[in-house]
């Protein structure tokens, strides 16, 4: 097996949904992506492009259980992990870490965290029983078996 010397991007589990949105912690999974993964990079680009729309919906009170995925640096790259929002102040997102971090020794699930919009790699919220946004989730679930996807019970709304 050839070892590639590319920085890996860890996308916080299928805690991809935010642990608060998953019924059982056992359902959470971590999926590694290379920083050069084109499909994942396109998903992150789309999520960032639509982030102002998400913020407007959040401020208007549309939907519930709003979350953003944030890219938190560690020694070998960035761990992208969901954070349940509690506030948006200007360009700063404030919330609680929704997943158990894999590579972030200084953070735990439930810890308060704040970050600027430049570190946001995805967003989602629930409305009408469906999850809106979750651009990176749509890419990551392609690496799961149909059984794993069914167990997650994802009901993704069509993208805008």
């Amino acid at each position: 097996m050839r070892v590639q010397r590319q920085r890996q991007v860890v996308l916080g589990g299928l805690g991809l949904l935010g642990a608060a949105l998953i019924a059982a912690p056992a359902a959470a999974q971590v999926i590694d992506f290379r920083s050069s993964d084109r499909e994942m990079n396109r998903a992150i680009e789309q999520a960032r492009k639509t982030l102002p729309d998400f913020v407007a919906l959040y401020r208007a009170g549309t939907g519930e259980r709003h979350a953003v995925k944030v890219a938190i640096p560690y020694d070998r790259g960035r761990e992208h992990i969901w954070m349940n929002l509690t506030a948006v102040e200007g360009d700063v997102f404030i919330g609680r870490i929704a997943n158990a971090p894999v590579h972030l020794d200084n953070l735990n699930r439930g810890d308060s965290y704040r970050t600027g919009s430049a570190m946001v790699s995805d967003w989602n919220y629930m409305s009408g029983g469906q999850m809106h946004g979750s651009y990176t989730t749509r890419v990551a679930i392609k690496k799961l078996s149909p059984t794993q996807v069914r167990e997650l019970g994802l009901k993704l709304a069509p993208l805008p």
Side-chain angles (χ1 to χ4, degrees):
M1 183 166 122
R2 187 173 151 219
V3 177
Q4 294 185 2
R5 296 185 185 264
Q6 290 182 307
R7 182 173 48 100
Q8 285 195 349
V9 175
V10 177
L11 291 170
L14 275 185
L16 288 167
L17 307 175
L21 302 179
I22 296 177
Q29 300 179 22
V30 173
I31 300 175
D32 287 342
F33 282 85
R34 299 242 175 250
S35 59
S36 60
D37 187 286
R38 288 182 182 156
E39 187 176 16
M40 185 57 72
N41 287 334
R42 278 192 303 272
I44 291 170
E45 182 182 317
Q46 273 303 111
R48 287 181 176 160
K49 181 179 175 184
T50 57
L51 187 59
D53 300 330
F54 168 73
V55 170
L57 292 167
Y58 174 78
R59 288 185 172 143
T62 302
E64 56 192 33
R65 294 191 270 185
H66 299 80
V68 291
K69 186 180 281 183
V70 296
I72 303 173
Y74 70 102
D75 62 342
R76 292 180 300 149
R78 294 177 188 261
E79 184 167 348
H80 293 248
I81 192 161
W82 286 102
M83 177 176 77
N84 293 318
L85 276 184
T86 56
V88 178
E89 296 175 357
D91 195 31
V92 176
F93 292 80
I94 303 162
R96 298 213 170 264
I97 299 297
N99 311 108
V102 174
H103 300 289
L104 306 171
D105 295 333
N106 60 335
L107 279 177
N108 295 296
R109 182 177 176 191
D111 284 354
S112 295
Y113 195 77
R114 60 188 301 130
T115 189
S117 63
M119 301 308 285
V120 173
S121 57
D122 202 353
W123 56 265
N124 71 38
Y125 68 93
M126 295 294 293
S127 181
Q130 293 187 316
M131 182 172 292
H132 295 261
S134 285
Y135 292 84
T136 59
T137 301
R138 295 165 195 267
V139 174
I141 62 174
K142 294 176 184 178
K143 291 193 173 211
L144 300 179
S145 71
T147 301
Q148 290 171 310
V149 173
R150 270 194 310 279
E151 287 173 357
L152 289 171
L154 288 176
K155 292 183 182 161
L156 294 167
L159 290 173

